């Protein structure tokens, strides 16, 4: 009695896998299309796909090395990538963070050479999210995990330039860069970043001035129109007094700034004492 060869069983298993996965793959393509089109059915399709992923033992945390493990992991990676994009469309930071956490094991362990058409955008989105959340240590840790090739991607270099501008306080350069993002998916987080930048500028202005003209405040906060300045002040600095009739902004009610929390005289005294002691030691 002759038994089928190993090639026969491999071919049979491959055919069975293709048959079993045909429905999930079709659902994935429908989900991807609905996310791109911002269709309301995307959330329902994502729930169905997550149910399918629960049945695959090759995925983290089990990571069983099945014959179809590579294909299943690529399938799961694409599901989570488009789930990240869906969270951007929904402007849901918590969902974004959750799906990025799901993606990281795939990027770190399995994704090399298996990039999808939106992988590069996802890498940049993750860095931009960390910048917006002011998680600078995590930002640089994630940056170090990227390959040299990935660090040269436009979506990644855009974030590293933003980081440099923020560190040195070049807020005008942040606004210039934000006006030309490498992908439309960055718009949601850039809006939050610009808001944070303008809040920082407002704190500096409150420490330096008691009164500004509305035109000067608009220029300092880098708005195009005075109406935008008035709306921003009403939302984030309600203690500022805006007199639109006279075109003035009174910042006197906003002197509880971070600069006042710093004990300047004590720090100067301590630094002089340290310098004196160092001089004696040398």
């Amino acid at each position: 009695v002759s038994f089928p060869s190993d090639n026969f069983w491999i071919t049979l298993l491959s055919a069975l896998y293709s048959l079993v996965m045909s429905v999930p793959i079709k659902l994935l393509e429908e989900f991807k299309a609905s996310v791109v089109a911002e269709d309301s059915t995307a959330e329902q399709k994502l729930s169905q796909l997550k149910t399918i992923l629960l049945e695959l033992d090759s995925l983290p945390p089990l990571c069983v090395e099945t014959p179809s493990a590579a294909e299943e992991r690529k399938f799961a990676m694409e599901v989570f990538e488009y789930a990240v994009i869906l969270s951007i469309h929904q402007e849901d930071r918590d969902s974004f963070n959750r799906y990025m956490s799901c993606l990281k094991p795939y990027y770190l362990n399995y994704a090399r050479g298996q990039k999808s058409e939106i992988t590069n955008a996802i890498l940049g989105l993750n860095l931009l999210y960390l910048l917006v959340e002011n998680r600078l240590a995590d930002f640089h840790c994630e940056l170090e995990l990227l390959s040299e090739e990935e660090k040269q991607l436009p979506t990644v270099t855009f974030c590293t330039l933003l980081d440099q501008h923020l560190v040195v306080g070049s807020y005008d350069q942040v606004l210039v860069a934000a006006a030309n993002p490498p992908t439309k998916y960055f718009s949601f987080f850039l809006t939050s970043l610009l808001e944070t930048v303008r809040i920082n500028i407002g704190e500096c202005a409150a420490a330096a001035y008691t009164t500004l003209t509305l035109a000067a405040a608009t220029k300092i906060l880098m708005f195009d129109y005075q109406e935008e300045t008035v709306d921003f002040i009403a939302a984030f600095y309600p203690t500022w007094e805006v007199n639109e009739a006279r075109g003035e902004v009174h910042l006197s009610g906003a002197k509880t700034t971070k600069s006042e929390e710093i004990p300047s005289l004590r720090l100067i005294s301590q630094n002089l004492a340290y310098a004196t002691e160092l001089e004696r030691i040398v």
Side-chain angles (χ1 to χ4, degrees):
V1 178
S2 61
F3 294 96
S5 64
D6 291 342
N7 288 336
F8 169 80
W9 292 113
I10 292 173
T11 304
L12 179 60
L13 286 172
S14 178
L16 288 172
Y17 173 79
S18 299
L19 181 62
V20 170
M21 290 297 291
S22 60
V23 174
I25 290 173
K26 181 182 178 182
L27 181 60
L28 173 60
E29 293 303 318
E30 291 175 355
F31 171 60
K32 289 161 67 174
S34 64
V35 170
V36 172
E38 299 187 40
D39 191 345
S40 59
T41 62
E43 189 70 45
Q44 180 184 1
K45 291 182 173 64
L46 177 59
S47 296
Q48 294 173 344
L49 286 166
K50 287 193 288 187
T51 302
I52 293 171
L53 295 181
L54 291 173
E55 303 297 325
L56 303 178
D57 293 340
S58 61
L59 307 183
L62 296 179
C63 301
V64 178
E65 293 298 333
T66 62
S68 56
E71 291 84 358
E72 290 171 356
R73 287 164 185 163
K74 187 175 186 301
F75 172 81
M77 187 182 77
E78 290 196 45
V79 170
F80 289 129
E81 283 185 331
Y82 277 88
V84 166
I85 299 300
L86 177 61
S87 68
I88 293 293
H89 291 327
Q90 295 174 336
E91 299 185 356
D92 187 342
R93 290 194 190 187
D94 291 336
S95 292
F96 176 88
N97 189 34
R98 183 165 61 252
Y99 290 127
M100 274 306 310
S101 298
C102 293
L103 260 178
K104 284 179 184 178
Y106 298 94
Y107 282 173
L108 291 174
N109 301 313
Y110 310 116
R112 302 304 182 196
Q114 297 192 54
K115 290 184 178 181
S116 72
E117 64 274 15
I118 61 169
T119 299
N120 294 344
I122 299 292
L123 292 174
L125 277 169
N126 183 42
L127 293 173
L128 185 57
Y129 167 75
L130 295 174
L131 276 182
V132 171
E133 293 290 309
N134 202 30
R135 293 165 53 184
L136 299 183
D138 291 336
F139 172 87
H140 289 285
C141 286
E142 291 291 330
L143 195 60
E144 289 302 314
L145 292 174
L146 300 180
S147 65
E148 289 302 318
E149 180 183 355
E150 289 170 336
K151 289 178 182 178
Q152 302 306 315
L153 294 170
T155 52
V156 174
T157 56
F158 177 83
C159 295
T160 55
L161 283 175
L162 278 182
D163 177 51
Q164 292 171 15
H165 295 326
L166 289 169
V167 167
V168 299
S170 298
Y171 294 140
D172 56 332
Q173 294 298 318
V174 173
L175 265 69
V176 170
N180 298 285
T183 172
K184 63 180 181 180
Y185 300 128
F186 279 21
S187 299
F188 169 54
F189 287 136
L190 283 175
T191 301
S192 298
L193 182 63
L194 296 182
E195 189 176 274
T196 302
V197 164
R198 288 190 169 103
I199 289 172
N200 290 338
I201 293 173
E203 290 177 351
C204 294
Y209 303 100
T210 56
T211 304
L212 286 170
T213 64
L214 192 53
T218 300
K219 185 177 180 180
I220 288 174
L221 293 170
M222 294 182 286
F223 284 117
D224 294 325
Y225 304 102
Q226 293 185 4
E227 291 78 6
E228 295 175 304
T229 304
V230 173
D231 291 341
F232 177 82
I233 291 173
F236 296 101
Y237 292 99
T239 57
W240 292 11
E241 298 177 8
V242 179
N243 189 328
E244 293 188 66
R246 299 180 60 181
E248 291 181 348
V249 180
H250 298 280
L251 294 73
S252 56
K255 286 299 179 181
T256 56
T257 56
K258 291 182 179 179
S259 61
E260 293 187 340
E261 299 172 5
I262 301 172
S264 303
L265 293 176
R266 182 165 60 84
L267 289 175
I268 291 172
S269 300
Q270 287 179 348
N271 287 333
L272 289 174
Y274 294 150
T276 303
E277 291 298 320
L278 284 172
E279 187 177 5
R280 289 176 181 173
I281 294 172
V282 173

